[in-house]
Amino acid sequence: INVRIAWQIPGSNFSPLTNFEVLILSKSGTMLQSPDCLAANPASTYCDVPMSNLRVGGFLLTQGDIVRAKVRARNAIGWGDFS
């Protein structure tokens, strides 16, 4: 079972997007980077995270928990704001 984190591609300010960063809210309330989303294609609008990865480490989410995430994009100018 996967959790799909989806977003709309933001404006790039005339500089191609190079990657996205996805942070997921852990059970303790801390935002943790999702290693499953590090290589998200800059043309992509989603990242699939295996539920098993959200049940270990700092995440400790359980079936039925709401998964909260925020995403930001990067281009040659730098990182944009998180959604």
Side-chain angles (χ1 to χ4, degrees), residues 9-38:
I9 295 180
S12 64
N13 292 322
F14 307 103
S15 178
L17 299 176
T18 57
N19 59 321
F20 291 101
E21 180 180 23
V22 178
L23 300 180
I24 300 174
L25 188 66
S26 71
K27 193 74 162 188
S28 68
T30 320
M31 295 302 292
L32 300 172
Q33 189 175 56
S34 172
D36 302 292
C37 299
L38 286 176

Side-chain angles (χ1 to χ4, degrees), residues 1-7 22-25 34 36-37 45-55 59 61-71:
I1 298 175
N2 289 331
V3 174
R4 178 162 282 183
I5 299 169
W7 56 86
V22 178
L23 300 180
I24 300 174
L25 188 66
S34 172
D36 302 292
C37 299
T45 58
Y46 69 90
C47 171
D48 288 329
V49 180
M51 186 62 191
S52 59
N53 291 356
L54 296 175
R55 293 181 178 171
F59 293 108
L61 299 176
T62 56
Q63 190 78 24
D65 283 347
I66 294 173
V67 176
R68 297 178 191 259
K70 57 185 181 179
V71 180

